[in-house]
Structure formats: C-alpha cells, structure tokens
Amino acid sequence: AGLPKTNAIFLSRVISALQSKHHYGEGEARAICDKVQAKLLKECHDPAKMCITDLRISHWEEAIQETIGGEANRDLAAECYYLWKTTRLQHLALAEDTRAMLTELRKGLRLLLLTNGDRQTQREKIEACACQPYFDAIVVGGEQKEEKPAPSIFHYCCDLLGVQPAECVMVGDSLDTDIQGGLNAGLKATVWLNKAMTAPVDTSPVPHYIISSVLDLPAVLQKMELWVHKAISDCCYLSVATLTSVT
C-alpha cells in the first residue's frame, strides 16, 4: 500500500503482529504502517532535544492514534517500533560478492565508510551488517559538526587517513549528499551508484562516473588508474546505503 519495497519487508511483521496479537483489521494495520512510513520520510531529528528511539516511538504512537482514535498507547507504539527495528537490522547484510570486492580493494586502497544520520541508528546498522573489518575507518555524520555534503566532513576523513582530497574518490547513491559533497570537497572523482539507472534532473550535480552496481566499482577505479597500480595513498569513501542490501 504505497510502501517502498525494502521497508515493506520490515513492516510486514508489524502488520502481522497488529492483526494476530492486537486484533486490528488488515486495513487498519496497513494504514498505521503507511503513516509511520510517511513520518519517517519527513523525519527531522535533533539529538540535542530527543533521542532517536523516543522520536520513532512517537511516530508509531501518533500513527496508531491517527488511525484508531482514542487515547495514546505508548506501550503498543514501543512494541511496534522495536519489532520494526529488530526486523530491519536482521535483514541488513553485506552480500558475499560485495565482501569479496572490498577485501580485494583493500589490498591496494584505503577504504573509509562515510554515512550521514543519527549516531545510534547508523552504528546499529554498521554492527548489524558486520562491515567494520572491511574498512580502515568509519565516520558517522551524526558524530561530527557537519554532515555530507559539507566539505568539512570529507576533509576530516582525509585527515583521518592521512591523504589529500585530490587522492580520494567518493562512491555513493545520493546525488545531493554523496556526489555534491565530493565535488564540494574537491575530491579526485565521484562515482554515483544509480541502481535504477534513472535520469537525474537538470539541476543535479554531475558525477564523474555512473555505475548500476557497486560491483562495477573496481573497473571504474582501474580507469582512474587507482586500484590497478595499488596506490595505497589513495582512498575510496563509500556509504552504508551503497553497500548494504536486504536479504
């Protein structure tokens, strides 16, 4: 009912629980989940005011009340949130071929995982998909003063690895944060992961390279004469969304 495919997988267990355990109708359960999805898409989180857990439980609480009416049910909202979150984390994974690619790339490049988002949420994702061993460093935007596309976070990553911006490549699936950020920071190149191969709007930043699968990355790096020469001073930034998949 209008839910993105991946989140529909996570929410299906909540829909089932609302029906079987709490005796909601299928239409009511789906309506609640649709409302939560809409709230997540518009979410604006200030960690100084509220932790991400409280905020997202509030999404569920509001969605239930908007759909069913009556008094707020914080306990049910928390139950739905934790079921959704647990299912989501259980389905995050690095595919075996992606793991093999990263292992091979690290023989000649320094790899850094750079992601925007709330500290707690992103660290939980990183731990769930067990990607730490494949990177020289991991940087979460929510732990820094600024996030992508601000140049400062890219320059922080460069300092962390002891390299210059002109030695780095940004790989990501967001034109607005990953590609624009790489351009803002003066990196050597940007690689846009465009899985659907959709045409960008005219005002979008223009990446240096476009790939439809992260597994195409080694060939692009060879074109740049990075990986093929085992230039260990060079580095490659990747984002969580670029690498993870739903199992």
Side-chain angles (χ1 to χ4, degrees):
L3 298 176
K5 181 180 178 182
T6 52
N7 217 26
I9 296 171
F10 310 143
L11 291 169
S12 63
R13 283 187 63 188
V14 181
I15 292 170
S16 296
L18 285 171
Q19 290 180 263
S20 61
K21 184 177 178 181
H22 299 282
H23 311 296
Y24 284 89
E26 183 180 356
E28 291 174 325
R30 289 190 178 278
I32 290 168
C33 290
D34 273 330
K35 290 179 187 296
V36 169
Q37 175 66 19
K39 293 175 188 297
L40 288 169
L41 291 173
K42 295 186 293 183
E43 183 175 85
C44 185
H45 175 230
D46 183 353
K49 295 181 179 179
M50 181 184 292
C51 75
I52 193 70
T53 296
D54 287 343
L55 176 63
R56 291 188 168 171
I57 290 175
S58 293
H59 292 337
W60 285 96
E61 186 175 21
E62 292 167 5
I64 293 167
Q65 195 167 23
E66 289 166 7
T67 303
I68 307 302
E71 295 184 4
N73 191 335
R74 189 75 175 178
D75 289 342
L76 177 57
E79 180 183 330
C80 290
Y81 165 68
Y82 284 113
L83 180 57
W84 168 78
K85 175 183 169 180
T86 300
T87 306
R88 188 171 178 236
L89 292 176
Q90 286 173 343
H91 284 78
L92 276 178
L94 278 183
E96 188 57 42
D97 49 7
T98 301
R99 292 173 184 267
M101 180 199 71
L102 292 172
T103 299
E104 192 64 24
L105 287 180
R106 277 196 79 197
K107 293 178 181 178
L109 294 172
R110 300 175 192 179
L111 301 183
L112 183 144
L113 182 65
L114 172 59
T115 183
N116 278 357
D118 172 74
R119 176 188 182 277
Q120 176 186 329
T121 302
Q122 297 304 81
R123 289 292 176 184
E124 286 174 345
K125 288 181 185 177
I126 289 163
E127 183 175 350
C129 66
C131 60
Q132 301 96 319
Y134 300 93
F135 292 91
D136 296 281
I138 295 175
V139 175
V140 175
E143 298 172 349
Q144 305 300 318
K145 291 181 180 179
E146 295 182 297
E147 295 188 308
K148 300 178 291 184
S152 62
I153 194 167
F154 290 90
H155 295 157
Y156 170 78
C157 292
C158 291
D159 292 342
L160 202 60
L161 295 182
V163 297
Q164 296 299 313
E167 297 174 313
C168 297
V169 176
M170 178 66 208
V171 183
D173 64 353
S174 170
L175 287 172
D176 293 333
T177 59
D178 298 322
I179 304 308
Q180 187 63 64
L183 296 172
N184 291 347
L187 302 190
K188 179 183 180 74
T190 57
V191 182
W192 180 35
L193 175 60
N194 182 8
K195 292 180 181 179
M197 292 308 287
T198 54
V201 297
D202 292 340
T203 56
S204 296
V206 180
H208 296 88
Y209 299 90
I210 301 175
I211 55 177
S212 60
S213 166
V214 72
L215 299 179
D216 297 331
L217 182 57
V220 171
L221 295 177
Q222 285 184 349
K223 288 182 182 178
M224 285 185 259
E225 298 185 345
L226 283 184
W227 183 43
V228 69
H229 292 308
K230 300 291 186 290
I232 61 170
S233 65
D234 291 300
C235 76
C236 186
Y237 303 154
L238 299 104
S239 65
V240 171
T242 302
L243 295 173
T244 54
S245 60
V246 177
T247 58

